[in-house]
């Protein structure tokens, strides 16, 4: 008997009712049941095989509503070296029974057993779009609940897990993924993001060969070095010798992003049977979470999605999903105010008069928000002192922050402030009072980075101090925005207030407390917006983005370097959250000289800010910035909320690059083009635009830069997409921006 399911018109189907009737070890009838989830252009399905394992059946483009999915069958033993337990693509495989591929979960019992084999118990709806599937070990009272929630619009599936110990003894969880994903056997290319301080968001692409590729952070935080996101593009058949062609606008792409701001790991493996499996969650490195009887561990959420419009389609889906479901102001977050930030102008030398002078100049060019960066608190003169002491430095601000904030408000801007709440300098009142509050192993050195140590936020007293100081700051001052920084990674991650076998819970509790502080502050101060910064882009992930309205992608503000960073960033994250400041030239990092126009246009691809020393600007600079900020305001919504098409990639030092963003109603498109170093007198390539309504008429206007004399002032969507847009752009570090507005 095969079940056939009537599919309702709604975007999701839970064919679990019969499944729910079967208990562990029940008759083989359960093998014929299939759970199918539909959303957007995606179908996801799994079933229970003959042995009672939960087995992946399908993940890909949406199937016909009356199609029935064949039931799960565990694979036969092909050779004595290939146990069916290891070759069967399980939804969440416990380490036991001879599993040689990456486990989802690995445990140790007090009697020395380390064998965990999870079988299906039941499936239960947990909401109109979601489902819980309960698994249990074949003999022990370890229960694992797999949570599934399908977004009906995008087809992005949210998966997470709760592991519960109902044994009479504690159990140690050594490894816990949020989800495992299985792709159909084929040849694939993997795309992922790596980087370093001032060099984040480098896009890597490679064929997925036999073996495993691990991307991870062991740092206690998300990290600059890799970002918890992946995309996998189908390469055609099984021919692994095929070249890597991860197509931008065509072909099938599976992607995922992990919502966790602590140590994480994503393993992409191609098994001996050519199955591609992706496992992601807590990083098992140095991990150990002891569950006492009755306790449970919740994993982060691992989101996964599918597009048949190439990497471009995948990133547009994910960007829309972030706006609609992840960000604190979802589903309709306000476009980011154009900010001014004082850091590159003054560094730590902030005082009332200096900030007021900058604020006046910032207001004159149309800035919406004035942000005072590091240096305003405690005994902060440089990076040697003050972190932890969140009171106003009275030498710099004799009357507190109020006079500056009032002045900023009087100039028509709101006020933002820099903080770094999870850190402490040894030279601070806080550390002198509470040296025991930092992560450390007693009797061992406390390694400093940037002269600072990490407060152990897993401790309740530290958590309360951090929340209390920020609550006080926000209550006493009219602050609209916090830039929340985090300028080092962990060392000596000890937590000696709890028993030795519980100390490694720090990897989880620290992050949970961080999230709970952010949630509490947002609840108590609902108007306050937050930026996640970690020496640039060291803490950007879908976990922090539930609490942060925007992020600082990099301390590197060089406008040319930023083009490729912004390109990489856009694969995983929406331009809505991508803050981009215009700073001084020559640039402090590269010594590169660029025009203010080029710098402005580079930053206008995201959420615009100004971080230059305005005291050095000429009247012409002020006029240029004022004109371009006004132009930016008029098209900002299209740029940060529209559909992004990466027309020419700036990667690998490309001489040219271009992007286009189309508003969701297709009424407007904005194109940015950069001639970074053109060669041999060649003009800028004809840009065949994307995503317009081919039958509509669009009027072209310049935001910045000359139009080519032969470019029509108005033409159909078909013309702009098929014939293409010709820009008059050549030379070094030249930039242009145009917009197209629908006429009819
Ligand atoms: C980090 C941030 C910078 C700036 C400094 C201040 O490096 O990324 O933007 O705020 O800290 O110390």
């Amino acid at each position: 008997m095969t079940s056939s399911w009537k599919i309702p018109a709604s975007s999701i189907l839970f064919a679990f009712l019969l499944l729910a009737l079967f208990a562990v070890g029940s008759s083989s009838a359960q093998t014929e049941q299939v759970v199918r989830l539909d959303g957007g252009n995606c179908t996801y399905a799994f079933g229970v095989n003959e042995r009672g394992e939960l087995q992946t059946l399908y993940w890909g483009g949406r199937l016909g509503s009356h199609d029935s999915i064949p039931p799960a069958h565990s694979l036969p033993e092909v050779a004595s070296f290939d146990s069916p337990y290891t070759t069967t693509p399980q939804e969440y495989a416990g380490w036991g029974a001879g599993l040689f591929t990456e486990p989802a979960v690995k445990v140790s019992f007090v009697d020395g057993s380390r064998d965990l084999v999870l079988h299906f118990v039941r499936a239960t709806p947990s909401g109109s779009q979601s489902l819980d599937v309960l698994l249990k070990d074949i003999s022990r009272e370890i229960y694992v609940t797999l949570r599934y929630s399908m977004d009906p619009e995008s087809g992005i599936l949210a998966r997470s897990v709760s592991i519960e110990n109902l044994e009479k003894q504690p159990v140690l969880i050594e490894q816990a993924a949020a989800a495992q994903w299985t792709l159909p056997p084929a040849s694939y290319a993997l795309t992922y993001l790596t980087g370093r301080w001032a060099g984040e968001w480098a896009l890597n692409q490679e064929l997925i060969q036999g073996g495993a590729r691990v991307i991870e952070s062991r740092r206690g935080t998300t990290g600059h070095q890799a970002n918890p996101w992946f995309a996998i593009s189908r390469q055609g058949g099984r021919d692994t010798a095929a070249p890597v062609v991860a197509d931008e606008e065509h072909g099938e792409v599976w992607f995922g992003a992990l919502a966790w701001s602590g140590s994480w790991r994503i393993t992409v493996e191609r098994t001996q049977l050519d199955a591609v499996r992706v496992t992601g969650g807590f990083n098992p490195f140095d991990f150990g979470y002891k569950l006492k009887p009755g306790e449970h561990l919740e994993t982060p959420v691992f989101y996964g999605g599918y597009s048949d419009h190439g990497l471009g389609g995948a990133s547009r889906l994910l960007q829309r999903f972030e706006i609609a479901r992840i960000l604190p102001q979802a589903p309709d977050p306000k476009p980011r105010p154009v900010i001014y930030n004082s850091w590159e102008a003054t560094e730590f030398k902030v005082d009332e008069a200096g900030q007021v002078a900058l604020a006046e100049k910032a207001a004159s060019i149309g800035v919406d928000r004035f942000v005072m960066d590091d240096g305003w608190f405690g005994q902060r003169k440089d990076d040697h002192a003050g972190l932890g002491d969140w009171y106003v430095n009275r030498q710099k601000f004799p009357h507190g922050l109020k006079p500056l904030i009032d002045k900023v408000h009087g100039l028509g801007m709101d006020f933002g402030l820099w903080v770094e709440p999870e850190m402490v300098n040894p030279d601070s009142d806080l550390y002198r009072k509470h040296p025991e509050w930092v992560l450390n192993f007693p009797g061992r050195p406390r390694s400093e980075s940037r002269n600072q140590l990490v407060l152990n936020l897993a401790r309740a007293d530290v958590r309360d101090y951090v929340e209390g100081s920020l609550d006080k700051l926000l209550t006493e001052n009219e602050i609209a925005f916090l830039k929340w920084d985090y300028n080092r990674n962990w060392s000596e991650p000890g937590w000696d207030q709890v028993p030795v076998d519980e100390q490694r819970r720090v990897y989880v509790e620290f992050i949970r407390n961080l999230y709970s502080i952010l949630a509490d502050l947002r609840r108590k101060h609902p108007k306050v917006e937050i930026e996640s910064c970690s020496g640039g882009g060291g803490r950007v992930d879908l976990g922090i983005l539930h609490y942060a309205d925007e992020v600082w992608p990099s301390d590197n503000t060089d406008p040319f370097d930023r083009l490729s960073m912004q390109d990489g960033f856009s694969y995983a994250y929406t331009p809505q959250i991508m803050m981009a400041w215009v700073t001084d030239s020559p640039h402090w990092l590269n010594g590169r000289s660029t025009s203010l126009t080029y710098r402005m246009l580079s930053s206008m691809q995201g959420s615009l800010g100004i971080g230059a020393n305005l005291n050095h600007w000429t009247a012409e600079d002020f006029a240029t910035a004022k004109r371009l900020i006004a132009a930016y305001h008029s098209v900002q919504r299209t740029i940060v909320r529209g559909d992004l098409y990466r027309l020419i990639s700036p990667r690998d030092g490309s001489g040219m690059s271009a992007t286009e963003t189309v508003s969701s109603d297709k009424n407007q498109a904005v194109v940015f083009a950069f001639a970074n170093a053109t060669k041999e007198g060649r003009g800028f390539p004809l840009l065949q635009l994307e995503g317009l309504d081919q039958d509509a008429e669009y009027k072209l206007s310049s935001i910045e830069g000359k139009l080519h004399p032969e470019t029509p002032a108005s033409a159909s969507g078909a013309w702009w997409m098929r014939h293409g847009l010709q820009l008059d752009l050549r030379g070094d570090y030249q930039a242009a921006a145009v917009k197209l507005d629908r006429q009819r």
Side-chain angles (χ1 to χ4, degrees), residues 197 341 343 348 373-374 380 383 418 420 450 483 485 487 533-536 552 554-555 581:
W197 175 80
N341 179 293
W343 173 247
F348 301 94
D373 210 280
D374 198 350
R380 191 80 163 162
D383 61 16
W418 180 95
E420 193 178 355
R450 208 193 192 202
K483 173 176 170 180
D485 213 334
N487 273 314
C533 172
S534 173
W552 183 228
S554 181
D555 277 351
W581 307 345

Side-chain angles (χ1 to χ4, degrees), residues 541-694:
D541 59 78
L542 295 193
I544 203 77
L545 286 175
H546 278 297
Y547 310 97
D549 304 270
E550 59 185 59
V551 302
W552 183 228
S554 181
D555 277 351
N556 182 350
T557 52
D558 175 271
F560 173 65
D561 285 2
R562 271 290 177 116
L563 292 182
S564 41
M565 288 186 195
Q566 291 173 179
D567 175 76
F569 185 97
S570 75
Y571 282 80
Y573 301 102
T574 163
Q576 160 81 17
I577 63 162
M578 185 178 78
M579 299 308 294
W581 307 345
V582 172
T583 58
D584 289 320
S585 173
H587 194 263
W588 58 269
L589 188 61
N590 290 324
R592 179 177 287 121
S593 294
T594 51
S595 68
L596 181 57
T597 308
Y598 182 86
R599 282 176 273 149
M600 290 289 298
L601 265 56
S602 169
S603 295
M604 283 162 65
Q605 289 191 306
S607 285
L608 176 65
I610 308 288
N613 190 343
L614 299 179
N615 297 323
H616 299 155
W617 272 21
T618 63
E620 194 191 338
D621 292 337
F622 281 105
T624 303
K626 187 172 180 179
R627 175 170 55 78
L628 287 172
I629 288 174
Y632 176 77
H633 272 135
S634 73
V635 288
Q636 180 177 6
R637 205 179 158 86
T638 299
I639 294 172
V640 299
R641 296 283 292 275
D643 281 333
L644 174 69
Y645 296 88
R646 294 175 287 255
L647 301 179
I648 305 178
S649 167
R651 282 200 302 280
D652 306 324
S654 161
M656 286 170 281
S657 68
T659 58
E660 177 200 4
T661 329
V662 184
S663 62
S664 52
D665 57 11
K666 297 183 187 287
N667 283 347
Q668 188 175 65
V670 177
V671 176
F672 288 99
F674 299 89
N676 305 313
T678 59
K679 286 195 215 156
E680 301 155 358
R682 292 174 204 262
F684 206 80
L686 204 55
L687 293 175
Q688 287 179 303
L689 303 186
E690 306 258 8
L692 302 175
D693 177 349
Q694 62 170 353

Side-chain angles (χ1 to χ4, degrees), residues 338-588:
V338 172
I339 64 140
Y340 178 79
N341 179 293
S342 62
W343 173 247
E344 289 197 22
T346 62
E347 296 207 336
F348 301 94
K349 290 184 233 55
V350 295
D351 59 25
E352 194 177 310
Q355 294 291 300
V356 165
L358 288 168
E360 282 169 343
K361 296 184 174 82
S364 78
I365 52 175
V367 162
D368 307 305
R369 171 172 288 168
F370 183 84
V371 183
M372 177 159 66
D373 210 280
D374 198 350
W376 59 270
F377 53 89
Q379 297 310 308
R380 191 80 163 162
K381 292 184 194 64
D382 52 33
D383 61 16
H384 285 83
L387 289 174
D389 300 340
W390 299 109
Y391 57 83
V392 179
N393 180 308
R394 291 284 167 166
Q395 277 99 51
K396 297 179 182 186
F397 298 91
H399 310 289
L401 296 179
K402 191 169 185 321
L404 172 62
I405 295 177
D406 287 349
K407 177 74 186 177
V408 166
H409 289 166
L411 290 165
M413 301 181 288
D414 66 20
F415 180 78
L417 197 61
W418 180 95
V419 289
E420 193 178 355
E422 300 143 271
M423 299 289 168
V424 66
N425 288 115
D427 184 1
S428 67
D429 300 345
L430 183 67
Y431 190 75
R432 282 183 280 273
K433 201 164 158 207
H434 288 295
E436 76 286 8
W437 275 12
V438 297
L439 291 176
N440 74 97
F441 291 123
R444 303 289 301 170
R446 299 175 175 201
S447 304
E448 294 177 19
S449 298
R450 208 193 192 202
N451 313 302
Q452 63 196 57
L453 297 166
V454 184
L455 289 171
N456 183 358
L457 217 59
R459 290 175 59 128
D461 46 6
V462 173
R463 185 215 168 281
D464 293 347
Y465 171 81
V466 167
E467 180 169 328
S469 342
L470 292 172
D471 186 24
K472 184 163 183 287
L473 193 64
L474 294 173
T475 305
E476 290 175 355
N477 299 285
E478 263 195 85
I479 293 170
F481 169 81
L482 289 178
K483 173 176 170 180
W484 186 298
D485 213 334
Y486 187 81
N487 273 314
R488 61 161 293 180
N489 298 147
W490 293 10
S491 58
E492 300 99 14
W495 180 10
D496 66 335
Q497 286 71 45
V498 297
V500 170
D501 59 357
E502 288 173 33
Q503 293 187 0
R504 282 180 288 158
R505 285 170 77 133
V506 70
Y507 285 104
V508 177
E509 309 309 346
F510 186 112
I511 308 302
R512 297 248 182 264
N513 279 349
L514 166 66
Y515 290 162
S516 83
I517 294 169
L518 288 164
D520 281 357
L521 291 174
R522 291 200 78 109
R523 193 170 30 76
K524 290 185 194 157
H525 306 279
K527 294 207 178 105
V528 174
E529 297 183 337
I530 295 173
E531 175 177 286
S532 173
C533 172
S534 173
R539 191 151 68 186
V540 183
D541 59 78
L542 295 193
I544 203 77
L545 286 175
H546 278 297
Y547 310 97
D549 304 270
E550 59 185 59
V551 302
W552 183 228
S554 181
D555 277 351
N556 182 350
T557 52
D558 175 271
F560 173 65
D561 285 2
R562 271 290 177 116
L563 292 182
S564 41
M565 288 186 195
Q566 291 173 179
D567 175 76
F569 185 97
S570 75
Y571 282 80
Y573 301 102
T574 163
Q576 160 81 17
I577 63 162
M578 185 178 78
M579 299 308 294
W581 307 345
V582 172
T583 58
D584 289 320
S585 173
H587 194 263
W588 58 269

Side-chain angles (χ1 to χ4, degrees), residues 62 72 98 164 167 172 181 202 226 246 317 416 469 487 520 695 708 712 732:
R62 189 156 176 163
E164 191 177 15
E167 288 278 287
L172 184 68
W181 309 91
L317 265 185
S469 342
N487 273 314
D520 281 357
D695 299 323
H708 195 276
D732 295 341

